[in-house]
Amino acid sequence: MKIVFFSAKAYDREFFESCNEGYGFELEFWETHLGPHIADAVKEGTDAVCVFVNDKLNAEVIEVLAQKGVKIIALRCAGFNNVDLDAAKQYGIRVCRVPAYSPEAVAEHAVAMLLTLNRKTHKAYNRVREQNFSLSGLMGFNLFGKTVGVIGTGKIGAAFCKIMLGFGCKVLAYDPFDNKSLKSAGVKYMPFHEVIKDADVISLHCPLTSENHYLIGAGSLSAMKKGVTLINTSRGGLIHTREVIEALKTGQVAALGIDVYEQEEKLFFKDLSGSIIGDDDIQRLISFPNVLVTGHQAFFTQEALTEIAESTLGTVKAILEGGDIGEGAVLV
Ligand code: NAD
């Protein structure tokens, strides 16, 4: 049974090869993204392709994979907005993902971004290295007592809510489905517009769908409290980049932390330090002193990578050979 990995990095190889000792699949690691440019290079005899957040599996790619005899598309991530599920169904290809892997990894990164932006530890680090011990410009605010709005209270959002409750924040949430245990822990569910109107900090933890594309744009930004801190560790397409740039210029958004970015597939997971970047929006974002961009690293902990490898190979085996499949792992 052969699995070809796309967008594979050294750490993917390390964690999957170690986990594969218990499975015995034939693994092949390709550095390139999967997309229309390369789909035809997949060889017959490939049972599964294993892909990540920025691989593009549209109908054209899926048709080619089906012709090659690929039976499974295994996403080694939770989000699946980059796969045309209808096309996969049409061509009889199963699609699976990792529904849950250390949600705390992502939630903790969202908190790290919030604390960095608020307490300006990134600036303090550089300042002190230059023997500048001045505090000017480093003032933050107490999170204790502040109102935090959480959009999406699935596994990651729930972990984030619990951390914020631990900080002594008032936590408001919007999700089409209430989580009873969060409610009894003190989280108050409200309609989306009520949450964003009252929150000092807003963190996005919902998946990107066709309905919530640009959930955060000029309209919702102007409905927020002036000086809001906005954190997005979910998907770049939830935020209209140019409109959030305008909101940063007016101070409507006081600080922005993003681990995901609309056009990230051209940038993230690559060392572009010697390149001229043509994307003016990311350059503008990086130029703000109150914007923190990380390159889709929220998931990147040892625990999460171990769980991703185990869950991915376990689900592929269960699909191919029959067996128990974890809840939410199979999409098609
Ligand atoms: P999940 O499926 O457990 O929870 C998602 C929640 O969002 C659900 O409760 C759902 O009801 C809710 N939801 C759906 N549409 C909504 C909307 N329009 N508004 C508000 N809530 C909505 O997913 P999860 O494991 O918590 O992951 C959340 C997202 O985090 C993923 O979809 C993915 O995009 C992102 N993610 C990012 C990283 C990273 O490294 N940055 C890693 C993993 C996941």
Side-chain angles (χ1 to χ4, degrees):
M1 305 237 183
K2 181 173 165 184
I3 309 175
V4 175
F5 286 69
F6 287 87
S7 308
K9 303 286 180 199
Y11 49 81
D12 292 311
R13 182 185 279 267
E14 180 191 337
F15 280 84
F16 272 93
E17 281 183 341
S18 161
C19 176
N20 193 43
E21 286 169 16
Y23 288 90
F25 291 120
E26 182 189 344
L27 307 185
E28 204 170 284
F29 294 91
W30 294 17
E31 275 180 37
T32 177
H33 287 90
L34 178 54
H37 67 292
I38 198 80
D40 203 39
V42 173
K43 294 193 187 68
E44 284 176 24
T46 301
D47 298 287
V49 292
C50 184
V51 297
F52 197 49
V53 291
N54 292 324
D55 293 300
K56 281 259 173 308
L57 291 102
N58 57 15
E60 183 187 348
V61 170
I62 289 172
E63 183 182 359
V64 176
L65 295 179
Q67 284 162 4
K68 304 279 179 171
V70 170
K71 299 179 218 31
I72 301 172
I73 293 167
L75 287 142
R76 53 180 188 279
C77 54
F80 50 88
N81 52 291
N82 51 333
V83 181
D84 185 333
L85 297 181
D86 291 335
K89 206 173 205 169
Q90 185 190 336
Y91 289 102
I93 297 187
R94 308 292 301 275
V95 182
C96 62
R97 64 169 179 150
V98 185
Y101 58 89
S102 192
E104 293 77 16
V106 182
E108 288 172 13
H109 189 78
V111 176
M113 297 192 97
L114 170 58
L115 289 173
T116 303
L117 284 163
N118 176 20
R119 305 307 297 267
K120 301 167 182 69
T121 42
H122 56 312
K123 290 187 187 173
Y125 174 80
N126 286 322
R127 233 180 237 197
V128 168
R129 283 166 68 92
E130 299 208 346
Q131 302 175 37
N132 175 356
F133 300 98
S134 151
L135 299 185
S136 158
L138 298 184
M139 193 186 295
F141 56 84
N142 282 8
L143 278 168
F144 181 84
K146 292 293 180 300
T147 301
V148 176
V150 182
I151 310 303
T153 55
K155 290 171 285 297
I156 296 170
F160 182 81
C161 286
K162 288 178 201 157
I163 300 172
M164 290 294 97
L165 289 170
F167 271 77
C169 298
K170 178 178 171 192
V171 181
L172 309 179
Y174 169 69
D175 192 301
F177 305 97
D178 294 6
N179 173 327
K180 287 198 184 72
S181 79
L182 284 181
K183 261 175 130 171
S184 47
V187 172
K188 194 169 170 200
Y189 279 88
M190 297 170 88
F192 175 73
H193 277 94
E194 296 291 310
V195 172
I196 63 166
K197 181 168 72 65
D198 289 339
D200 301 293
V201 173
I202 297 173
S203 193
L204 305 181
H205 297 290
C206 58
L208 174 65
T209 64
S210 48
E211 286 85 52
N212 66 16
H213 189 234
Y214 291 156
L215 182 71
I216 307 299
S220 49
L221 286 161
S222 64
M224 291 174 191
K225 221 181 202 183
K226 189 165 175 75
V228 68
T229 296
L230 187 58
I231 307 290
N232 184 12
T233 55
S234 274
R235 284 292 178 267
L238 291 170
I239 296 185
H240 192 300
T241 305
R242 298 227 169 132
E243 290 173 6
V244 86
I245 287 173
E246 288 311 309
L248 282 158
K249 284 190 203 165
T250 62
Q252 176 67 8
V253 171
L256 173 71
I258 53 171
D259 184 52
V260 286
Y261 170 63
E262 250 188 298
Q263 275 87 249
E264 70 176 50
E265 70 271 12
K266 297 195 188 100
L267 305 167
F268 286 8
F269 309 113
K270 296 175 190 147
D271 178 358
L272 301 177
S273 50
S275 310
I276 304 295
I277 292 177
D279 180 338
D280 292 345
D281 292 339
I282 193 82
Q283 296 293 39
R284 184 69 182 101
L285 282 173
I286 292 169
S287 76
F288 285 104
N290 51 347
V291 172
L292 175 63
V293 180
T294 54
H296 210 132
Q297 72 172 77
F299 73 100
F300 202 53
T301 66
Q302 290 179 10
E303 291 80 358
L305 288 177
T306 305
E307 288 170 37
I308 287 170
E310 186 53 54
S311 166
T312 305
L313 296 186
T315 305
V316 168
K317 183 178 161 70
I319 293 174
L320 289 172
E321 297 176 2
D324 287 344
I325 299 178
E327 202 190 324
V330 172
L331 300 165
V332 171

